[in-house]
Amino acid sequence: MVDYSVNGSVAVLMVNNPPVNALGHAVRVGLKTGIERGAKDSRVRSIIIIGKGQTFPAGADIREFGKPSKEPWLTAVGNLIKTCSKPVVAAIHGTCLGGGLEIALFSHYRIAVSSARVGFPEVTLGLLPGAGGSQRLSRLTGLPVAMEMISSGRHVPARKAKEYGIIDEIVSGDLLKTALKFAQEVQSRPFKDRCLRYKVVPNADRVEEYASAALTQVKKKYKGFEAPVACVQAVRSSAELSYEEGMKRERDLFLQLGQSGQAKAQQYAFFAERAVTKWQMPGGSYKTAKPLPVRSTAVIGAGTMGSGIAVCLLSAGLPVYLLEQNEKFLQSGVKLIESIMAGSVKLGKVSMETAKRAATLLKPTLSYDDIKDVDLVIEAVFENLDIKKEVFSKLDKICKPSAILCTNTSTIDINRISSATSRPEKVVGTHFFAPAYHMKLLENIYGTKTSPEAVATVMKLGKTINKVPVLVKSCHGFLANRMNAPFSSEAIFLVEEGASPQEVDQVNEDFGMPMGPFKVRDLSGIDISWRINREVAKVLGTSITKETRFLGGNRYCGLNDDFYDKGRYGRKTGKGWYLYEKVGGKTAVADPEAEEIINSYRQSRGIVKRKITPQEIFERQFYSAINEGFRILEEGICNMPEEIDISWIYGFSYPKYRGGPMFYASQIGLQRVYDRICHYHETCPYSIHWVPNRLLKKLAENNVPFTQWANHVSKSKM
Ligand SMILES: CCCCCCC/C=C/C(=O)SCCNC(=O)CCNC(=O)[C@H](O)C(C)(C)COP(=O)(O)OP(=O)(O)OC[C@H]1O[C@@H](n2cnc3c(N)ncnc32)[C@H](O)[C@@H]1OP(=O)(O)O
C-alpha cells in the first residue's frame, strides 16, 4: 500500500491504493512504517510522500467510518511526520483532500502541479477535519479563508492554494523528478520552524468578527446542516485556544458530528451518488454498453424547459440548434437563454468566457433541415402525446440514422412516443427538472425497445453537462413524478380536511425541504396544475366539474381549481395560495382571501374542518411517497433504493442530511412505517397510494437491512 524506496539521499513513500489512494488502515500503517524507516535509514536526508496513479491521497477511507477504528490513527501518523528528524515533502497531484491534506499540512513542505486541487471536503460528509486540519489551516491562510474552505468543502486549485499559502511551490514536468530535486535542496535548510503548530494564527484578535460573519453565512447557505457550523467553531478555537486545547476541541466536535444521524446520511448519499452510475437494463449495463459520441445537439422547443436545457448543453461547450415553430417563440427563447447566462455570470456560476463561447455555439433555427446531422436531439415541447408524436415522426424522417432522439417528458411512457418512429431503439427519455439549468437530477428513461447504447449515451451526456443521471424504466410518471404524486396530493387533501397551506409548508420546511408544497405550487403555477389535471381527465375520457370528488377512481380535490377560477395562478399573478409583494414577487405571506376560498370550498362540500397535527401532515406526505417508492422498486422501475434517494435529493432538493426518503424509512424502521401506512389506508380510503405495498410488508416483517433491499427488487428488467 505504501512502497518505500531510496533515490540518492531521498526516501520516497509512494502511496499505492487505487483508485484514490484513500488513507485506509493499511496505508496508515505503511506511512507510519515508511516514516520510521526513513528516519532511521542512514542514506536518507529527506523524505517525499507522493501518490501513485491519478492522485495524492484524496482522504480517509470513508468505508471505514462507523466501524471500530484501527490504530494508527491519522493524527498519530501526522505527528510522526511533524516530529521527524528529516524534512518531509508532500508532492501533490490530482486531489489532495481531507486526510490527504492533513498529511500534507503535517509535512514540512508542499509542492504541487498546477492541475492539483486541495481541500477539506469532510463537511460534505457531515464531518470536519479530524486530524488537526482546522487548527493548522488557519495558521497558514488566516481565519476567513480557513473558515470558508472548511465549512464549504470547496476544492481549491493549486494556484489559488499557493496564494493562500497552502502550497509552497507550483512545479511542472515529472512530479517525482521535481520532488526529488526539491527534497535534496531542502536538506541543508533548517526546517523545524516549518512545523505549523508553532505558527501564530494571523489576526487572531479579530476572531469574533470573522466567526460571526462566517456563522451568518453558513446558517443561510447550509440551512439545517450541523457540520458547517461546527467547522466554523473548530477553526475559531485555533485562534482562541492553545494548539493542544484546539486539537482537543476539534476532536470533540469531530466525534460529536460522527455520531450524528446527519453524518451517517451524508456518507450514505456520497456512496449512493456513485452507486447510481452503475446502471443496468435488459441487455446491457454501464460495463457493456458504449456511449456514442455527442459533438452536436438540437433542442426542439424554446420554452422555459427547452431554453434551460439549451443552457446546460451550451455551458458544457456543446453546439446547440434551438428549433421553434415561429420567429416570435424562437426570439423569446434566445432572450431567455441570454438572460439565464447573464444571471449565471453575475452569480459567479459561469465564467464570462463560457458565456461568450455559449453565445457562439447557439444556433437558433426554424428549419428541421438544419438539424439533420446532429448527434443528439432533445425534444422539449408541450407535455402532450399527440404533439410529441408529431415531433418524433418529423425527427425520424430528418435525422441521421445514428442520432439519439431524446424526449424531455415528465410523465408520458417512452414507448408511446417512440412508436411514432421507425427507430425506437434510438429513443430515450431525458427528464430535466425545473429550472433545468439549476437542478442537478437528470432522470433518464428507457422504453422496451431503447438500446443500451442510447442509454449509455444519455448517461454520459448527464455527466458531461454536470448533472446526476439516474436510469429508470418507463412507466407513467417514471420515478420522481410517481412518488411526487401522492406527496403533493396529500398536501392538498390535508388542507381540504382542515390544515392551512402555511401549516403544511411549515412541516416540510422544518424537515429540511427548501420550500413547502404550496410555495412550490405558487412557483410552478396553479394554471399549470389546472391544465395537467384536465389532460389527465381527457386521457381518462372524463371531465372535471365542481362536483368532481374522484378522478380515475382516486380521491380528487378541486381546491386548486377554485384558486385557478379566481385568477390566482401563484407568483406570476402576485397571488395564489399566498399573497406576494408584487406580480412575480418572491415573499409569500398568508392571505385572508385565500383562507376564504378554502373555507367556502369546505362549506360547499359539507367538510367540517378538523385540527391536523404536524405528525399527521408529515406522515401523510412522506409515508405515502415512501409506499409508492417501494411499489416502484417492486415493479423494477429502478434497481436500488439509492436511485430513489438520489432522485429526491437532486430533483426535489430533499435534505441530503436525511439521506433520502428510502434511507429515512430505514432509519425510522420499516415496521413502523408500514404500520402507519396501514393506519392511513384505514383512515384515508379512496386513495390507491395508501394500499400498503407488499415489498415493504415483506422487508418489514423479515427485518431486512437496508443494504439487502436491492436483492428483493424485481429482476424482470435484467
Ligand atoms: C479521531 C480520529 C481522527 C480521524 C480523522 C480523519 C480525518 C479525515 C477525514 C477524511 O479524509 S474524510 C474524506 C475526505 N475526502 C473526500 O471526501 C473525497 C471523496 N472523494 C471524492 O470527492 C472523489 O471521489 C474524488 C477524489 C474527487 C475523485 O472523483 P472521481 O469522479 O474521479 O471518482 P469517484 O467516482 O468519485 O470515485 C472513484 C471510486 O473511489 C471511491 N472513493 C472515492 N473517495 C473515497 C474515499 N475517501 N474513501 C473510500 N472510497 C472512496 C468511490 O466510492 C468510487 O468507488 P466505486 O464507486 O468505483 O466503487
Side-chain angles (χ1 to χ4, degrees), residues 19-20 22 58-63 65 73-75 95 97-99 121-122 125 130-131 155 251 254 270-271 274 278:
V20 299
D61 187 335
I62 305 167
R63 292 180 203 275
F65 290 175
W73 286 354
L74 198 59
T75 327
T95 43
L97 303 173
E122 286 85 340
L125 302 166
H155 296 189
R251 199 172 130 72
F254 181 87
F270 174 87
F271 288 115
R274 279 142 187 92
K278 299 179 170 69

Side-chain angles (χ1 to χ4, degrees), residues 311 334-352 355-356 358:
V311 167
V334 171
K335 279 212 178 74
L336 186 54
I337 291 171
E338 286 167 355
S339 91
I340 296 171
M341 276 293 180
S344 302
V345 171
K346 214 168 154 189
L347 288 172
K349 289 185 176 168
V350 161
S351 69
M352 183 56 96
K356 280 188 182 154

Side-chain angles (χ1 to χ4, degrees), residues 454-519:
V455 167
T457 308
V458 292
M459 292 302 279
K460 177 154 185 244
L461 178 77
K463 281 249 167 213
T464 308
I465 62 175
N466 201 22
K467 301 283 178 208
V468 179
V470 172
L471 183 65
V472 306
K473 180 163 95 169
S474 190
C475 63
H476 181 77
F478 319 130
L479 186 163
N481 278 340
R482 252 181 82 167
M483 279 179 82
N484 190 47
F487 180 81
S488 156
S489 302
E490 282 299 325
I492 209 159
F493 297 157
L494 286 157
V495 171
E496 185 176 51
E497 292 166 35
S500 70
Q502 294 76 30
E503 284 170 333
V504 174
D505 280 357
Q506 195 60 54
V507 167
N508 280 268
E509 289 165 25
D510 287 348
F511 181 71
M513 301 299 286
M515 250 188 225
F518 291 97
K519 286 188 189 143

